């Protein structure tokens, strides 16, 4: 980019009540989801930043958000030690996944969106079925198990 080119602000989304910790676009750019220290995730229209939904269901802050490839499901990672799974059409929480014993820092869908991974300060990676909210497996990092 040369010095003559400038970015132009297209839209300004509303705001969270506290720090915004994560934002992600859906694969098609139609939706944007944000999560914050206020414990809520917000769903926005990607084209103009219009707020579509407030997804309020965590007792503590949200560290990370993920959105499925088709934009139908949002996942939230929270300091309340849970993973939330939300339906973007009905804008409701469909599952609250518990099992981590400390803050959940990150969540990510696999490419087929039939598996959700979460990582926590408890040193576990957990794998969830986003359709049922069931924990399928937990992996603990143990000394000598991982190679650099």
């Amino acid at each position: 980019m040369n010095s003559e080119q400038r970015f132009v602000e297209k839209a300004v989304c509303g705001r969270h009540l506290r720090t915004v910790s994560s934002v992600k676009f859906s694969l098609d750019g139609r939706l944007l989801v944000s999560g914050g220290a206020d414990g809520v995730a917000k769903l926005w229209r990607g084209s103009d930043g219009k707020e579509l939904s407030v997804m309020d269901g965590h007792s503590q802050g949200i560290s990370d958000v993920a959105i499925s490839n088709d934009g139908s499901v949002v996942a939230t990672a929270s300091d309340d030690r849970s993973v939330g799974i939300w339906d973007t059409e009905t804008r409701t929480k469909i599952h609250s996944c518990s099992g981590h014993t400390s803050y959940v820092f990150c969540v990510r869908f696999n490419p087929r969106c039939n598996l959700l991974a979460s990582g926590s300060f408890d040193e576990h990676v957990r794998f969830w079925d986003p359709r049922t909210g069931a924990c399928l497996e937990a992996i603990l990092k143990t000394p000598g198990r991982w190679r650099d």
Side-chain angles (χ1 to χ4, degrees), residues 9-27:
E9 185 177 281
K10 184 173 180 179
V12 176
C13 295
R15 58 183 296 182
H16 282 262
L17 298 177
R18 295 185 61 202
T19 305
V20 175
S21 55
S22 182
V23 292
K24 304 285 177 1
F25 273 105
S26 60
L27 196 59

Side-chain angles (χ1 to χ4, degrees), residues 3 59-60 64 67 72 91 122 140:
S3 62
S59 62
Q60 294 184 33
D64 195 19
I67 189 163
S72 66
R91 296 177 170 93
D122 66 10
L140 172 64

Side-chain angles (χ1 to χ4, degrees), residues 69-118:
N69 289 341
D70 65 1
S72 66
V73 179
V74 164
T76 52
S78 176
D79 291 350
D80 67 9
R81 303 183 311 236
S82 74
V83 172
I85 300 176
W86 309 79
D87 182 306
T88 60
E89 187 172 320
T90 63
R91 296 177 170 93
T92 58
K93 191 177 201 179
I94 53 177
H95 301 294
S96 183
C97 306
S98 59
H100 283 292
T101 59
S102 192
Y103 311 120
V104 184
F105 287 130
C106 52
V107 287
R108 201 72 68 234
F109 287 98
N110 72 337
R112 291 178 50 205
C113 297
N114 61 353
L115 189 65
L116 180 67
S118 61

